[in-house]
Amino acid sequence: MRTSMRFCLLGLCASVLALGSGEQASAQSLGDHTYTSDAIEAGSRVYVADCALCHERGGAGVDGVNLRLGRFSRPLSDEDLRDVVTTGFAGGRMPAFTLSEAELNGIVAYIRAGFDPSGVAVKVGDAARGRAVFQGKGDCASCHRVFGQGPHGAPDLSEIGAIRTPATLQRTLLDPASSLRPIDRPVRIVTRDGETITGRRLNEDTYSVQLIDSNQRLRSLLKADLREFEVSTTPTMQPTTLTAEEVADVIGYLLSLQGVR
Amino acid sequence: MKIRNAASLLVLGLMLMPVRTEAQVTYDRILASADEPENWLTYNGTYSSQRYSQLDQIDRGNVDELEMRWMLQNQVFGAWQSNPIVVDGIMYITQRPNDVMAVDAVTGRVFWVYEHENDEAARVCCGANNRGVAILGDKLFMGTLDAHVVAIDATNGQPLWDIEIGDPSLGYSVTMAPLVVKDKVLVGVGGGEYGIRGFVAAYDADTGEEVWKTYTIPAPGEPGHETWDDDDWEHGGAPIWITGSYDAELDLTYWGVGNPGPDWNAAQRPGDNLYSDAVIALDPDTGELRWYFQFTPNDGYDYDSVQVPVLADIEWEGEDRQVMMWANRNGYFYVLDRATGEFLLGEPFVKVNWSSGLDENGRPIPTPQPEGEPTYPGNQGGTNWYPPSYSPRTGLFYFAAWEDYATVYGPQESVYLPGRMFLGGGFSVLTPTPGAPTISIGRSDPINDWTDVVGHGTVIAMDPLTGEAAWKFDQFDVSDSGMLTTESDLLFTGGREGHFHALDARNGELLWKASLGAQIVMAPITYMVDGTQYVAVISGHTMVTFALRD
């Protein structure tokens, strides 16, 4: 069993890899979900002229803020970012800037691209609207758990905003398979007793596998006791059908999930 | 008999005290160490480095009756790569960064601890590792992270001499266990990621005085210097950080040499870059180079050849032949004639795509991959420094291999700055999804979140006559564990999962296992005290010693 499974996994591994590299190209062309390369380029010029004096070229010149890594004193949507730039912040320590719409758009794009002119600048929407989509139309909460609410089937997202970038979150929403970590792959098991178990893998070694099953129980099974053991590269999550604006809002909500502090 | 006073007690004590001749580990004892399998006198057990023990009390029939006898918990965090030696019931083991402990091999209780305080300038690329001590007479010898060699009184742990053999502020360090040959202590230096110029040197065991020093990169005017361009040789790396082997009949020591620097930008140092990624045969009295064989010329993949040279006399095409077996980090398994360095056999043991094969002299035919494409095997190699074993009974060579593991290299121009890393770019491990967890140098988390799709381990039992695996034992995680075989056809090994396995050395059947809970990154050893055979292994921060149930 072991040999055939590995063989199968490797075959899938190769195909996912190909998908992964192709996906990145498609993300670039996901017009509505991202800013254009021209906007990012324009933003880089605005940044050097108006922002780098305080924030420095690397984006980390102000305590508690790292613009390049998208770390702010509080989670900010793109609209919030624009507000901060145009109205100022922190009692005037961050002054208000008068910029054209194109310049404003560019500076947000440049920040969202992680200061990488050839990067992807993901749009980040409103967290409150995103929360509503997450719990309603998006049907995310039927699998994902946040701050103790919801089922355990899919990974807990309580601190997802602290460990994932906007680009990764967007990629996950649009193409879940391209973001599925190998350890999280769904498993389907049939024991020697005939019990069929499905769930999400938590850990595995040569002799055993640990998972959370569809009944939300932690299970540890010895491979020697299994009749079938399949690991799928296809996540249970489907590519989203939400609009670009809704996706941006969900990303805004996910970025606001910073764990228990 | 009544003891009347302290003086009588002293006299009685002297009368009862055994003459500690057995504690004197003479050169002759080390030479014949295979004949006293109750001891483990060198890093690799014997000069031939077979890690094969004649002990057979634990056998295939009773191995499932092994029970834990004692544990020794290290208080220092980090990978514990040390290999103990055992001399007449006393175990000598190092712990990070450079402590030596003398331990009762029956109870695990500690007699003394020697602590070497490292210079603040000490720097190592890949962890504060030390792999053990050597012994001669009543002295222990240890290399240190700040590139010292220290001689220590084996009875009380006091230092006897302490010499600096390289400048730690330039990245010179010692992580290997020294090799004692005759009256000398042979040591190589690490620092291949810092632009050192590697060497192996011999020091007088009594005084620490340097007897000879042989650089692994030839100076201007020396043969092989032409394989370096301009002044690249001055910072070309080629470290030696794993203990070598010795053939007394040929009077040759053998050393595996590490990567050239900068690591990943081969174009920056055109030429074969001798003697990086080679095995060199040195005269133990003079350090003179007798022969070399280079596995990976102009290496751009960090394929250090710091594997343990394993020596055996085997029948080769109808003739008795003195050979050396070598599973290399570059993914090929080699058999060489150890008298001459002649290439006898070379076969890939994992997927290899940096080369399409070896020519009749064993030189690889390079097939560098396009930019952004994965190279097999990946940066940690098809295998690495993990000590292999050879069993004369089965005729098989056992080692830990990493399969399905690849790396995407990103070479860049590097400028040498003294004491700074000199890497020539970087690399990323191939993963099925962008940003997914990847295999790192060690395991610091009990969750295997990279899973076997990023790479997994297998124990390969290699038939040296064919270059093909007689059998394999797959593991889900990768393994940095060495091997131990015994006369009773047992093979002991571990891995990053913390499982300690006993396999049938003949066919790979799993006979017994124990889950020790953390990575095993050393090679198990075996020894005997008072008629009981022990097997010792380190998992995580704990040494665990097993013996059969009474």
Side-chain angles (χ1 to χ4, degrees):
Chain A
M1 180 193 77
R2 158 123 227 107
T3 310
S4 60
M5 186 187 78
R6 169 157 299 139
F7 191 75
C8 150
L9 278 178
L10 285 172
L12 288 169
C13 166
S15 60
V16 168
L17 181 77
L19 183 71
S21 48
E23 179 270 331
Q24 229 170 18
S26 66
Q28 290 275 16
S29 59
L30 286 167
D32 289 352
H33 291 89
T34 59
Y35 293 90
T36 64
S37 299
D38 288 346
I40 300 169
E41 176 68 32
S44 71
R45 290 193 294 274
V46 177
Y47 183 84
V48 170
D50 291 332
C51 314
L53 183 65
C54 296
H55 286 282
E56 299 183 356
R57 291 294 283 263
V62 174
D63 279 353
V65 176
N66 188 319
L67 298 179
R68 186 176 64 80
L69 299 179
R71 294 194 184 125
F72 313 105
S73 54
R74 61 187 169 87
L76 297 178
S77 69
D78 293 2
E79 279 304 317
D80 295 335
L81 268 178
R82 287 162 166 263
D83 282 350
V84 168
V85 173
T86 53
T87 63
F89 187 64
R93 274 189 292 148
M94 161 92 183
F97 289 83
T98 306
L99 299 175
S100 71
E101 173 59 28
E103 287 170 329
L104 256 184
N105 191 58
I107 198 70
V108 173
Y110 183 61
I111 291 170
R112 294 303 186 199
F115 286 21
D116 178 1
S118 60
V120 177
V122 171
K123 290 185 177 175
V124 179
D126 177 74
R129 285 201 308 267
R131 182 166 184 264
V133 176
F134 184 92
Q135 293 174 337
K137 182 182 173 189
D139 199 26
C140 313
S142 63
C143 294
H144 287 286
R145 189 172 175 90
V146 176
F147 295 128
Q149 301 295 314
H152 289 96
D156 191 301
L157 299 179
S158 302
E159 61 169 2
I160 197 71
I163 58 176
R164 293 284 184 274
T165 63
T168 304
L169 294 171
Q170 186 206 62
R171 190 180 69 221
T172 306
L173 285 161
L174 301 181
D175 181 8
S178 73
S179 289
L180 179 64
R181 302 189 319 157
I183 190 59
D184 293 329
R185 288 177 177 176
V187 293
R188 180 184 170 279
I189 284 167
V190 181
T191 67
R192 286 196 193 283
D193 301 337
E195 183 189 9
T196 299
I197 302 166
T198 58
R200 178 169 54 92
R201 183 168 59 171
L202 300 176
N203 199 2
E204 184 175 344
D205 67 20
T206 304
Y207 305 104
S208 70
V209 58
Q210 290 71 41
L211 59 120
I212 184 159
D213 71 11
S214 53
N215 298 317
Q216 304 187 48
R217 280 199 306 157
L218 294 174
R219 307 286 298 265
S220 182
L221 300 157
L222 294 176
K223 292 180 181 177
D225 295 338
L226 309 183
R227 191 189 300 159
E228 293 174 34
F229 176 27
E230 295 166 9
V231 182
S232 171
T233 56
T234 306
T236 47
M237 179 174 162
Q238 299 297 313
T240 187
T241 53
L242 296 173
T243 66
E245 193 173 326
E246 288 165 338
V247 167
D249 289 342
V250 170
I251 292 170
Y253 171 60
L254 295 174
L255 287 173
S256 77
L257 301 176
Q258 296 282 321
V260 177
R261 295 288 165 92
Chain B
M1 188 173 66
K2 280 189 175 177
I3 308 296
R4 291 183 188 278
N5 56 40
S8 313
L9 193 66
L10 182 64
V11 171
L12 181 67
L14 289 171
M15 287 165 55
L16 294 176
M17 188 181 294
V19 181
R20 289 179 56 92
T21 49
E22 74 276 11
Q24 291 286 328
V25 179
T26 62
Y27 169 61
D28 286 340
R29 276 185 72 185
I30 303 173
L31 256 186
S33 54
D35 298 332
E36 50 173 299
E38 64 274 22
N39 290 316
W40 192 272
L41 295 182
T42 67
Y43 176 75
N44 287 312
T46 62
Y47 276 141
S48 67
S49 301
Q50 292 183 357
R51 285 187 179 266
Y52 169 83
S53 170
Q54 292 177 22
L55 294 181
D56 61 0
Q57 185 178 81
I58 304 167
D59 60 30
R60 286 180 286 114
N62 62 20
V63 67
D64 61 352
E65 294 169 28
L66 282 176
E67 64 176 15
M68 192 270 285
R69 287 301 180 91
W70 56 265
M71 299 198 296
L72 176 66
Q73 304 225 15
N74 185 331
Q75 307 302 321
V76 183
F77 288 100
W80 198 0
Q81 297 184 346
S82 187
N83 261 236
I85 62 171
V86 177
V87 183
D88 304 323
I90 297 178
M91 174 183 288
Y92 301 99
I93 175 87
T94 61
Q95 68 175 3
R96 285 182 169 217
N98 285 117
D99 301 348
V100 184
M101 288 183 283
V103 179
D104 176 8
V106 174
T107 64
R109 307 311 298 183
V110 177
F111 294 109
W112 54 255
V113 180
Y114 165 78
E115 296 178 9
H116 174 82
E117 193 172 326
N118 278 293
D119 191 310
E120 286 180 2
R123 59 202 66 192
V124 282
C125 71
C126 312
N129 297 311
N130 180 277
R131 301 192 181 84
V133 295
I135 190 166
L136 182 67
D138 55 3
K139 294 187 189 68
L140 301 167
F141 306 96
M142 173 177 63
T144 69
L145 296 179
D146 58 356
H148 283 231
V149 177
V150 188
I152 301 156
D153 185 322
T155 306
N156 68 7
Q158 290 299 305
L160 298 169
W161 51 258
D162 181 337
I163 57 168
E164 184 178 275
I165 68 168
D167 184 346
S169 71
L170 296 179
Y172 287 86
S173 62
V174 181
T175 55
M176 59 176 271
L179 178 71
V180 163
V181 178
K182 303 177 188 175
D183 58 352
K184 300 177 190 65
V185 184
L186 279 56
V187 183
V189 287
E193 277 64 51
Y194 290 92
I196 65 158
R197 183 183 174 212
F199 64 84
V200 57
Y203 304 93
D204 183 294
D206 282 333
T207 64
E209 191 179 336
E210 182 183 300
V211 183
W212 55 260
K213 181 175 184 177
T214 297
Y215 282 98
T216 52
I217 301 179
E222 293 177 343
H225 181 77
E226 69 283 359
T227 64
W228 295 86
D229 189 43
D230 201 18
D231 59 358
D232 294 349
W233 65 280
E234 293 177 351
H235 308 297
I240 293 185
W241 46 272
I242 285 294
T243 310
S245 305
Y246 175 57
D247 183 320
E249 187 186 328
L250 295 168
D251 201 23
L252 283 178
T253 63
Y254 304 100
W255 303 89
V257 185
N259 63 278
D263 295 42
W264 299 299
N265 190 2
Q268 191 177 332
R269 41 174 168 73
D272 280 359
N273 306 146
L274 290 173
Y275 299 98
S276 69
D277 293 351
V279 50
I280 53 175
L282 303 183
D283 182 307
D285 299 319
T286 65
E288 183 191 345
L289 177 72
R290 295 285 185 76
W291 61 257
Y292 72 91
F293 177 86
Q294 190 178 36
F295 300 98
T296 313
N298 192 233
D299 170 23
Y301 314 104
D302 197 14
Y303 289 154
D304 286 278
S305 292
V306 289
Q307 294 73 46
V308 174
V310 178
L311 319 182
D313 297 339
I314 64 174
E315 188 177 309
W316 184 267
E317 296 176 351
E319 290 181 6
D320 291 338
R321 198 115 190 201
Q322 297 165 302
V323 304
M324 170 186 294
M325 288 168 277
W326 200 298
N328 195 281
R329 187 165 169 175
N330 71 9
Y332 286 99
F333 168 76
Y334 298 82
V335 181
L336 306 177
D337 183 314
R338 71 174 181 273
T340 62
E342 180 189 346
F343 169 73
L344 301 177
L345 177 145
E347 294 290 342
F349 58 85
V350 290
K351 177 177 177 178
V352 170
N353 70 357
W354 66 274
S355 147
S356 60
L358 306 177
D359 70 15
E360 71 272 17
N361 297 315
R363 186 183 175 91
I365 300 151
T367 50
Q369 298 303 298
E371 186 183 339
E373 293 298 312
T375 296
Y376 289 85
N379 188 71
Q380 288 296 311
T383 186
N384 205 325
W385 56 273
Y386 336 122
S389 177
Y390 172 76
S391 165
R393 278 180 55 84
T394 63
L396 298 174
F397 175 85
Y398 307 93
F399 64 100
W402 290 24
E403 297 194 316
D404 307 320
Y405 161 70
T407 286
V408 178
Y409 290 93
Q412 286 176 356
E413 195 78 4
S414 271
V415 175
Y416 172 77
L417 295 170
R420 302 282 293 276
M421 287 237 175
F422 187 48
L423 299 175
F427 68 89
S428 59
V429 175
L430 186 66
T431 57
T433 51
T438 62
I439 299 179
S440 53
I441 283 182
R443 170 165 288 296
S444 56
D445 185 325
I447 307 278
N448 181 354
D449 57 6
W450 53 65
T451 82
D452 60 343
V453 297
V454 179
H456 62 93
T458 189
V459 177
I460 295 183
M462 177 66 73
D463 182 346
L465 302 180
T466 63
E468 292 179 4
W471 54 259
K472 289 184 179 184
F473 178 81
D474 284 343
Q475 297 173 48
F476 188 77
D477 202 353
V478 294
S479 171
D480 318 61
S481 173
M483 306 283 147
L484 165 70
T485 55
T486 69
E487 182 135 323
S488 48
D489 289 335
L490 291 176
L491 166 64
F492 289 97
T493 191
R496 287 198 185 175
E497 293 171 353
H499 289 297
F500 185 41
H501 321 264
L503 308 180
D504 187 327
R506 302 169 308 170
N507 53 30
E509 182 190 348
L510 177 69
L511 301 173
W512 171 84
K513 70 178 190 297
S515 179
L516 303 184
Q519 63 177 353
I520 295 168
V521 290
M522 49 81 74
I525 66 155
T526 188
Y527 60 92
M528 179 174 270
V529 184
D530 296 334
T532 299
Q533 182 185 356
Y534 298 84
V535 178
V537 65
I538 294 171
S539 165
H541 306 119
T542 307
M543 165 169 282
V544 189
T545 298
F546 296 91
L548 294 175
R549 272 195 290 276
D550 283 333

